[in-house]
Amino acid sequence: MGEEAKAAAAWAEIAVTDAAAVPKPTPPPAAVAVDPRLQGISDAIRVVPHFPKQGIMFNDITPLLLRPGVFKDAVDIFVERYRGMAIAAVAGIEARGFIFGPAIALAIGAKFIPLRKPKKLPGEVISETYVLEYGTDCLQMHVGAIEPGERVLIVDDLVATGGTLCAAIRLLERAGADVVECACLIGLPKFKDFYKLNGKPVYVLVESREYEK
Ligand SMILES: O=P(O)(O)OC[C@H]1O[C@H](OP(=O)(O)OP(=O)(O)O)[C@H](O)[C@@H]1O
Ligand SMILES: Nc1ncnc2[nH]cnc12
């Protein structure tokens, strides 16, 4: 991807260390007009109102997965960005981070680390609990999956509040990782002023669309 496209796609790179001190992110430029692959990716995501509950506009990535060319475009954009950045590990967040993370990891020559929901990993784990809209959830990683100082990219399909990514960052940093960035296909614009990602940038390809296909 060219410099112009990179700049456009990077509209949601927000490195927040002190929320009060950091200016609000610049509204997204017409990223989809710069890189035609982004328009195709956006078009392939289905927005389902009121799923899984009333009021939620659910971003369904499964139509994108049914279109290998579009699926590949999404992976390629991430690979173009992260290749050559000395990233030792890609950490994917269960469940949808497992769809994109391994493909990116293989293409950039990094190992893949699954960050799993509780009681899924058989070995010794470290855990990080985080707050959801209602209740809490937890991510776990095998002890020894990451070596102190290793550069890590965190991958998920979507960032909404940023709570899940924050927990992933905390978990990896507690294990000594150097978290380079978080990468998501989709960012929900209504939440974009509230990203608090522990000082780490988040790279988002497309905004959620607000209608059903
Ligand atoms: O930014 P946040 O507000 O934390 O929300 C984003 C998270 O929500 C979704 O996962 P979900 O928790 O629904 O789990 P699933 O992938 O197992 O369905 C999504 O895949 C992200 O991981
Ligand atoms: N609107 C949304 N669509 C899909 N996954 C989500 N996770 C949190 N919010 C979501």
Side-chain angles (χ1 to χ4, degrees):
M1 183 162 53
E3 287 308 310
E4 201 182 4
K6 274 187 186 170
W11 63 266
E13 289 182 47
I14 308 157
V16 178
T17 48
D18 175 353
V22 175
K24 288 188 175 179
T26 309
V32 291
V34 175
D35 185 337
R37 296 178 298 181
L38 295 175
Q39 183 66 62
I41 290 164
S42 180
D43 289 347
I45 296 162
R46 175 172 56 172
V47 179
V48 183
H50 310 304
F51 180 88
K53 60 183 182 185
Q54 191 70 22
I56 300 292
M57 300 287 281
F58 188 83
N59 283 252
D60 178 17
I61 57 163
T62 61
L64 180 149
L65 304 177
L66 296 175
R67 298 172 60 184
V70 184
F71 188 4
K72 184 173 185 306
D73 282 346
V75 171
D76 284 351
I77 293 171
F78 289 126
V79 170
E80 288 161 17
R81 180 173 178 82
Y82 297 113
R83 184 184 280 139
M85 287 178 63
I87 290 170
V90 173
I93 298 176
E94 186 174 356
R96 288 168 260 161
F98 292 1
I99 296 169
F100 301 96
I104 298 167
L106 287 173
I108 66 173
K111 61 185 172 183
F112 178 75
I113 301 174
L115 304 185
R116 298 219 60 181
K117 302 289 170 70
K119 298 182 180 174
K120 300 288 187 183
L121 292 170
E124 186 185 353
V125 296
I126 58 171
S127 307
E128 186 70 36
T129 300
Y130 55 102
V131 177
L132 296 168
E133 199 175 355
Y134 300 105
T136 62
D137 209 336
C138 179
L139 288 176
Q140 297 187 328
M141 176 176 68
H142 268 145
V143 170
I146 195 84
E147 301 292 331
E150 281 186 320
R151 286 165 60 79
V152 180
L153 169 69
I154 299 173
V155 172
D156 205 351
D157 68 322
L158 178 143
V159 55
T161 65
T164 305
L165 287 180
C166 280
I169 293 167
R170 289 196 301 272
L171 184 65
L172 285 155
E173 288 187 335
R174 280 173 48 212
D178 175 8
V179 177
V180 175
E181 191 158 90
C182 302
C184 294
L185 246 71
I186 310 159
L188 300 196
K190 72 187 261 193
F191 292 117
K192 71 176 187 289
D193 292 340
F194 299 103
Y195 289 168
K196 293 177 184 171
L197 296 183
N198 302 353
K200 299 301 177 184
V202 59
Y203 178 76
V204 174
L205 296 187
V206 297
E207 282 188 17
S208 163
R209 286 170 301 109
E210 298 290 328
Y211 57 89
E212 186 179 15
K213 292 191 83 176

